[in-house]
Amino acid sequence: MEKGEDKHEEEQDQVVNPWEVTAKDGGKIDYDKLIDKFGCQRLEEPLVDRVQRLTGRPPHVFLRRGVFFAHRDFDEILNAYEKGKKFYLYTGRGPSSEALHLGHLVPFMFTKYLQDAFKVPLVIQLTDDEKCMWKNLSVEECQRLARENAKDIIACGFDITKTFIFSDFDYVGGSFYKNMVRIAKCVTYNKVVGIFGFSGEDHIGKVGFPPIQAAPSFPSSFPHLFSGKDDLRCLIPCAIDQDPYFRMTRDVAPRLGYHKPSLIESSFFPALQGETGKMSASDPNSAIYVTDSAKVIKNKINKYAFSGGQDSVEKHRELGANLEVDIPVKYLSFFLEDDAELEHIKTEYGAGRMLTGEVKKRLADVLTEVVDRHRAARAAVTEEMVDAFMAVRPLPNMFD
């Protein structure tokens, strides 16, 4: 049984579950405590080095800097790959907003790196049904948002010959539904309440949803892709708040004759206001969106990005910035690819020789470049391309 499986997802000092991420009293998310509570493992440097050795590619910036910091059996995926056994990737998106923010892009940017580095197929689940059950949205609106979000996902550059994107409303049925039922029969009501913290006030759709997110972990859910490959392993890149779904899945998998899915898990891209939670689509001032103009990005950073700098230039020159709480530095650690420049900024800013305004200006330039590049790629995505990625079809070159 997975460690942490029967614990409620709420503690006094922080709440981390698939629907809420908050630290209490203005504190930071304690990732060491999350690793201990969830029972996953820290992603240590030897595993990062091994990825480079096996793929011949430099580690992604999110690996080098510990953005993806925890895992479940990632070493087993690498062991199998080293022996010539392929795997497939599975990640997803809950479409609840028209446009994605940068926090939403993080897992997709990293998943693209994994697909390119290991040359493996990928399935992307759009949980439009989940958002219909958790948000005040109609079925039709969730389906529309799923297609819009698919355009942003496609714009990340995934290989269409190795990628299948599916909407739950469109795809669930047949072999996928059979696996959902098999999973559901293995999970008691008490267990799902223990894992997810559902209450008597939650409608039954919420209680019944977890098998839907679990089913893509098993290759037989995709007979058009993996027919006869029931021994295929699955690797799931995701933020650590999704871990409860896959603790449940990993407990069920051996009982159904499948490998436990492996996970590689990221920290959260924090809100502009600080690391008490993650960027939220419900608060536009907490996030940088891929639709924001350069002017909006600059204004949001200057107005809302929590600074670790001192409250006067004189004091800042004397004491320097507190890098532990500084959001501009945190954002640069995600998106500024030049390691030497990042270290230079940290050194100079921490010593008080660089001012908050200079760091925020550099961040605005970096994020504007990221957003402009993404917006141009998304503008090139047509409805026909969305149809092609979402078509139920074989992927004949998926392991080439």
Side-chain angles (χ1 to χ4, degrees):
M1 184 176 292
E2 294 292 310
K3 181 181 176 183
E5 181 181 357
D6 292 321
K7 291 183 181 178
H8 193 285
E9 294 309 317
E10 186 167 343
E11 291 187 348
Q12 289 300 106
D13 55 348
Q14 60 185 12
V15 178
V16 177
N17 62 46
W19 311 285
E20 183 181 1
V21 175
T22 54
K24 301 292 181 65
D25 302 323
K28 291 173 62 175
I29 298 296
D30 187 329
Y31 291 106
D32 287 329
K33 189 172 290 185
L34 272 186
I35 285 176
D36 181 60
K37 183 175 80 166
F38 286 176
C40 46
Q41 299 163 277
R42 183 163 284 281
L43 188 64
E44 304 285 2
E45 192 170 341
L47 273 182
V48 176
D49 293 341
R50 196 172 172 205
V51 170
Q52 180 170 5
R53 180 169 59 81
L54 289 175
T55 65
R57 288 174 178 250
H60 192 278
V61 64
F62 295 161
L63 274 182
R64 295 202 309 270
R65 297 183 187 154
V67 172
F68 278 79
F69 72 102
H71 74 101
R72 290 183 183 273
D73 293 346
F74 184 49
D75 50 338
E76 291 192 13
I77 285 280
L78 297 183
N79 290 343
Y81 184 81
E82 193 164 24
K83 294 173 184 173
K85 297 178 181 178
K86 296 286 190 171
F87 59 92
Y88 73 98
L89 296 163
Y90 156 40
T91 195
R93 160 81 184 132
S96 60
S97 59
E98 188 86 30
L100 304 191
H101 59 56
L102 291 181
H104 294 141
L105 282 189
V106 166
F108 292 110
M109 294 170 71
F110 186 64
T111 300
K112 176 183 164 23
Y113 158 79
L114 292 174
Q115 183 183 61
D116 292 345
F118 288 98
K119 299 180 173 59
V120 291
L122 162 68
V123 296
I124 299 174
Q125 181 181 41
L126 301 175
T127 55
D128 41 12
D129 52 344
E130 176 201 20
K131 293 308 174 186
C132 182
M133 288 187 278
W134 262 267
K135 304 282 186 179
N136 186 26
L137 297 170
S138 68
V139 169
E140 293 74 21
E141 177 65 359
C142 290
Q143 288 182 293
R144 186 187 72 80
L145 292 175
R147 281 189 69 88
E148 290 304 306
N149 286 188
K151 295 172 186 175
D152 277 308
I153 293 168
I154 292 166
C156 292
F158 292 108
D159 183 347
I160 194 170
T161 69
K162 292 181 170 63
T163 305
F164 174 51
I165 302 175
F166 67 98
S167 142
D168 284 346
F169 278 135
D170 290 338
Y171 185 72
V172 171
S175 298
F176 193 101
Y177 184 66
K178 290 175 186 176
N179 276 342
M180 283 170 47
V181 171
R182 292 179 182 118
I183 294 163
K185 288 178 69 176
C186 292
V187 184
T188 66
Y189 176 75
N190 285 342
K191 186 169 289 186
V192 84
V193 168
I195 295 171
F196 297 100
F198 295 131
S199 73
E201 300 305 309
D202 285 309
H203 61 68
I204 60 174
K206 292 182 179 181
V207 178
F209 176 76
I212 303 175
Q213 187 154 325
S217 308
F218 303 149
S220 62
S221 295
F222 306 100
H224 66 287
L225 300 179
F226 307 130
S227 179
K229 295 183 171 68
D230 285 1
D231 198 42
L232 199 60
R233 292 178 181 271
C234 175
L235 174 63
I236 305 169
C238 62
I240 198 167
D241 59 337
Q242 299 300 302
D243 189 88
Y245 282 114
F246 302 112
R247 292 205 304 277
M248 182 196 79
T249 310
R250 285 167 54 85
D251 186 52
V252 168
R255 297 157 69 182
L256 299 181
Y258 297 106
H259 291 294
K260 293 183 177 184
S262 299
L263 281 81
I264 183 165
E265 301 177 312
S266 73
S267 56
F268 306 115
F269 195 62
L272 283 163
Q273 288 83 354
E275 286 197 82
T276 58
K278 62 180 181 178
M279 275 193 173
S280 171
S282 61
D283 179 4
N285 293 325
S286 77
I288 304 294
Y289 285 85
V290 296
T291 51
D292 285 346
S293 66
K295 181 179 179 180
V296 168
I297 291 171
K298 178 182 176 182
N299 288 343
K300 282 185 176 180
I301 290 170
N302 286 337
K303 187 172 182 180
Y304 298 111
F306 187 84
S307 170
Q310 306 301 327
D311 51 16
S312 72
V313 172
E314 293 76 14
K315 195 173 178 182
H316 184 80
R317 295 294 191 198
E318 177 189 353
L319 300 175
N322 179 355
L323 302 184
E324 286 297 309
V325 300
D326 192 88
I327 289 297
V329 166
K330 174 67 72 171
Y331 280 22
L332 285 170
S333 72
F334 276 75
F335 287 108
L336 178 60
E337 294 198 12
D338 188 323
D339 290 339
E341 184 183 357
L342 179 64
E343 287 309 307
H344 173 76
I345 290 171
K346 286 181 174 180
T347 299
E348 295 299 297
Y349 188 38
R353 292 186 291 271
M354 182 178 280
L355 299 177
T356 297
E358 297 174 82
V359 178
K360 287 189 171 184
K361 181 181 184 305
R362 182 65 182 120
L363 176 62
D365 291 343
V366 169
L367 295 190
T368 297
E369 182 181 344
V370 170
V371 168
D372 284 351
R373 187 169 60 239
H374 180 84
R375 191 159 50 231
R378 191 191 192 281
V381 177
T382 64
E383 294 293 340
E384 290 74 21
M385 288 172 66
V386 176
D387 290 339
F389 270 94
M390 298 182 74
V392 177
R393 72 215 188 274
L395 300 177
N397 302 318
M398 61 184 174
F399 288 116
D400 291 349

Short mmCIF file of all heavy atoms in Angstrom, two decimals, residues 37-57:
data_model
loop_
_atom_site.label_atom_id
_atom_site.label_comp_id
_atom_site.label_asym_id
_atom_site.label_seq_id
_atom_site.Cartn_x
_atom_site.Cartn_y
_atom_site.Cartn_z
N LYS A 37 4.85 13.26 3.91
CA LYS A 37 3.43 12.94 4.05
C LYS A 37 2.94 12.05 2.92
O LYS A 37 2.22 11.07 3.12
CB LYS A 37 2.60 14.23 4.11
CG LYS A 37 1.11 13.98 4.34
CD LYS A 37 0.33 15.26 4.50
CE LYS A 37 0.03 15.92 3.17
NZ LYS A 37 -0.99 16.98 3.28
N PHE A 38 3.34 12.38 1.68
CA PHE A 38 2.85 11.63 0.52
C PHE A 38 3.60 10.31 0.35
O PHE A 38 3.08 9.38 -0.25
CB PHE A 38 3.00 12.46 -0.75
CG PHE A 38 1.99 13.58 -0.89
CD1 PHE A 38 2.05 14.45 -1.95
CD2 PHE A 38 0.98 13.75 0.04
CE1 PHE A 38 1.13 15.47 -2.10
CE2 PHE A 38 0.05 14.78 -0.09
CZ PHE A 38 0.13 15.65 -1.17
N GLY A 39 4.84 10.24 0.85
CA GLY A 39 5.59 9.00 0.72
C GLY A 39 6.31 8.84 -0.60
O GLY A 39 6.64 7.72 -0.99
N CYS A 40 6.56 9.96 -1.29
CA CYS A 40 7.35 9.87 -2.53
C CYS A 40 8.82 10.06 -2.17
O CYS A 40 9.19 10.15 -1.00
CB CYS A 40 6.86 10.89 -3.56
SG CYS A 40 6.59 12.55 -2.91
N GLN A 41 9.67 10.13 -3.19
CA GLN A 41 11.11 10.22 -2.95
C GLN A 41 11.65 11.51 -3.56
O GLN A 41 11.16 11.98 -4.59
CB GLN A 41 11.83 9.03 -3.61
CG GLN A 41 11.41 7.68 -3.09
CD GLN A 41 11.83 6.57 -4.05
OE1 GLN A 41 11.14 6.30 -5.03
NE2 GLN A 41 12.96 5.95 -3.78
N ARG A 42 12.68 12.07 -2.95
CA ARG A 42 13.30 13.26 -3.52
C ARG A 42 14.10 12.86 -4.75
O ARG A 42 14.75 11.81 -4.77
CB ARG A 42 14.20 13.96 -2.50
CG ARG A 42 14.81 15.25 -3.04
CD ARG A 42 15.33 16.14 -1.94
NE ARG A 42 14.29 16.85 -1.21
CZ ARG A 42 13.67 17.96 -1.65
NH1 ARG A 42 13.97 18.45 -2.84
NH2 ARG A 42 12.76 18.55 -0.91
N LEU A 43 14.04 13.69 -5.78
CA LEU A 43 14.77 13.43 -7.02
C LEU A 43 16.20 13.91 -6.85
O LEU A 43 16.48 15.12 -6.90
CB LEU A 43 14.08 14.16 -8.19
CG LEU A 43 14.59 13.86 -9.60
CD1 LEU A 43 14.35 12.40 -9.96
CD2 LEU A 43 13.88 14.76 -10.60
N GLU A 44 17.11 12.98 -6.62
CA GLU A 44 18.50 13.33 -6.32
C GLU A 44 19.32 13.49 -7.60
O GLU A 44 18.95 13.03 -8.67
CB GLU A 44 19.13 12.26 -5.42
CG GLU A 44 18.38 12.00 -4.12
CD GLU A 44 18.57 13.10 -3.09
OE1 GLU A 44 19.27 14.09 -3.40
OE2 GLU A 44 18.02 12.97 -1.98
N GLU A 45 20.48 14.12 -7.46
CA GLU A 45 21.34 14.45 -8.60
C GLU A 45 21.78 13.23 -9.41
O GLU A 45 21.86 13.30 -10.64
CB GLU A 45 22.56 15.25 -8.13
CG GLU A 45 23.34 15.86 -9.27
CD GLU A 45 24.39 16.85 -8.79
OE1 GLU A 45 24.27 17.33 -7.64
OE2 GLU A 45 25.32 17.13 -9.57
N PRO A 46 22.07 12.07 -8.78
CA PRO A 46 22.46 10.91 -9.60
C PRO A 46 21.40 10.51 -10.63
O PRO A 46 21.75 10.07 -11.73
CB PRO A 46 22.66 9.81 -8.55
CG PRO A 46 23.07 10.53 -7.31
CD PRO A 46 22.26 11.81 -7.33
N LEU A 47 20.12 10.67 -10.30
CA LEU A 47 19.07 10.36 -11.28
C LEU A 47 19.08 11.36 -12.42
O LEU A 47 18.86 11.00 -13.58
CB LEU A 47 17.69 10.34 -10.61
CG LEU A 47 17.23 9.03 -9.97
CD1 LEU A 47 15.81 9.18 -9.41
CD2 LEU A 47 17.26 7.89 -10.98
N VAL A 48 19.31 12.63 -12.10
CA VAL A 48 19.39 13.67 -13.13
C VAL A 48 20.56 13.37 -14.07
O VAL A 48 20.44 13.44 -15.30
CB VAL A 48 19.53 15.06 -12.50
CG1 VAL A 48 19.71 16.13 -13.57
CG2 VAL A 48 18.32 15.38 -11.62
N ASP A 49 21.70 13.01 -13.48
CA ASP A 49 22.87 12.66 -14.28
C ASP A 49 22.59 11.45 -15.17
O ASP A 49 23.06 11.37 -16.32
CB ASP A 49 24.07 12.36 -13.38
CG ASP A 49 24.55 13.59 -12.62
OD1 ASP A 49 24.22 14.71 -13.05
OD2 ASP A 49 25.23 13.42 -11.59
N ARG A 50 21.81 10.53 -14.64
CA ARG A 50 21.51 9.31 -15.40
C ARG A 50 20.63 9.62 -16.61
O ARG A 50 20.79 9.01 -17.67
CB ARG A 50 20.83 8.31 -14.48
CG ARG A 50 20.82 6.90 -15.03
CD ARG A 50 20.32 5.92 -14.00
NE ARG A 50 20.14 4.63 -14.61
CZ ARG A 50 19.31 3.70 -14.18
NH1 ARG A 50 18.58 3.94 -13.11
NH2 ARG A 50 19.20 2.55 -14.80
N VAL A 51 19.71 10.56 -16.45
CA VAL A 51 18.87 10.97 -17.59
C VAL A 51 19.76 11.49 -18.71
O VAL A 51 19.59 11.14 -19.88
CB VAL A 51 17.86 12.05 -17.16
CG1 VAL A 51 17.17 12.66 -18.38
CG2 VAL A 51 16.81 11.47 -16.21
N GLN A 52 20.73 12.32 -18.35
CA GLN A 52 21.64 12.86 -19.37
C GLN A 52 22.44 11.74 -20.04
O GLN A 52 22.61 11.73 -21.26
CB GLN A 52 22.58 13.88 -18.75
CG GLN A 52 23.56 14.48 -19.76
CD GLN A 52 24.30 15.68 -19.19
OE1 GLN A 52 24.16 16.02 -18.02
NE2 GLN A 52 25.09 16.33 -20.02
N ARG A 53 22.90 10.80 -19.23
CA ARG A 53 23.71 9.71 -19.80
C ARG A 53 22.89 8.84 -20.75
O ARG A 53 23.37 8.44 -21.82
CB ARG A 53 24.29 8.86 -18.67
CG ARG A 53 25.15 7.69 -19.14
CD ARG A 53 25.90 7.06 -17.99
NE ARG A 53 25.02 6.58 -16.95
CZ ARG A 53 24.38 5.40 -17.01
NH1 ARG A 53 24.51 4.63 -18.08
NH2 ARG A 53 23.61 5.00 -16.01
N LEU A 54 21.64 8.56 -20.38
CA LEU A 54 20.82 7.66 -21.20
C LEU A 54 20.29 8.33 -22.47
O LEU A 54 20.07 7.66 -23.48
CB LEU A 54 19.64 7.14 -20.38
CG LEU A 54 19.97 6.13 -19.28
CD1 LEU A 54 18.72 5.80 -18.47
CD2 LEU A 54 20.56 4.86 -19.87
N THR A 55 20.05 9.64 -22.41
CA THR A 55 19.44 10.32 -23.55
C THR A 55 20.43 11.09 -24.40
O THR A 55 20.14 11.44 -25.54
CB THR A 55 18.36 11.31 -23.08
OG1 THR A 55 18.97 12.36 -22.31
CG2 THR A 55 17.31 10.61 -22.24
N GLY A 56 21.60 11.36 -23.83
CA GLY A 56 22.58 12.16 -24.57
C GLY A 56 22.20 13.63 -24.65
O GLY A 56 22.79 14.38 -25.44
N ARG A 57 21.24 14.06 -23.84
CA ARG A 57 20.80 15.46 -23.84
C ARG A 57 21.09 16.10 -22.49
O ARG A 57 20.98 15.44 -21.45
CB ARG A 57 19.29 15.56 -24.10
CG ARG A 57 18.90 15.25 -25.54
CD ARG A 57 17.38 15.23 -25.64
NE ARG A 57 16.96 14.98 -27.02
CZ ARG A 57 16.39 15.89 -27.79
NH1 ARG A 57 16.18 17.10 -27.34
NH2 ARG A 57 16.03 15.59 -29.03
#
